[in-house]
Amino acid sequence: MADTEKANQALDDLFAAARETPVPLPKHLATAIMNDALVARAENLVPAPKQNRQSRTRLRAGAWRQLMIAIGGLPALGGLAAACAVGVWVGLAPPSFLPDPAQLVGYSNSTSVPYTSYDLAVVLGEEVQ
């Protein structure tokens, strides 16, 4: 146990000595950083050229590609399309335990609905009570 404490103390002393001595930035690295910064600044100061039709088409294609990446690719887009299709199907032909939205809105000639008004707020308010 004492051997590991001595080894840890020696390692801590080495780390403390390394922290105390600063490492200077090499001259060539500082020069390269400043050159990159000056080039980036010059690129930002130059006005952007007018876009022609081809570049606008490329931007549009890039936007679609970015949207596909954000969604998650073609498999995720397929799942999204399937979920939309199910939502439309349930909206148009709801299961028996859900009210028919066409009857609630008033597009049905059926007299089987026991409400005198087809106001959605009234119908939902009566169902809650």
Side-chain angles (χ1 to χ4, degrees), residues 2-78:
D3 292 335
T4 58
E5 288 178 13
K6 287 180 186 177
N8 286 342
Q9 184 61 37
L11 192 58
D12 287 340
D13 292 340
L14 285 174
F15 284 139
R19 281 190 295 266
E20 289 175 3
T21 57
V23 179
L25 186 65
K27 247 337 178 194
H28 63 88
L29 181 60
T31 306
I33 290 172
M34 287 305 295
N35 288 338
D36 287 344
L38 291 174
V39 168
R41 182 173 179 232
E43 287 174 356
N44 287 337
L45 292 178
V46 173
K50 299 236 179 201
Q51 295 178 350
N52 57 14
R53 186 173 182 174
Q54 273 186 332
S55 65
R56 277 187 265 140
T57 305
R58 274 190 240 126
L59 284 176
R60 241 184 269 137
W64 281 111
R65 182 172 289 140
Q66 289 176 358
L67 179 65
M68 287 294 291
I69 290 170
I71 288 174
L74 286 177
L77 188 64

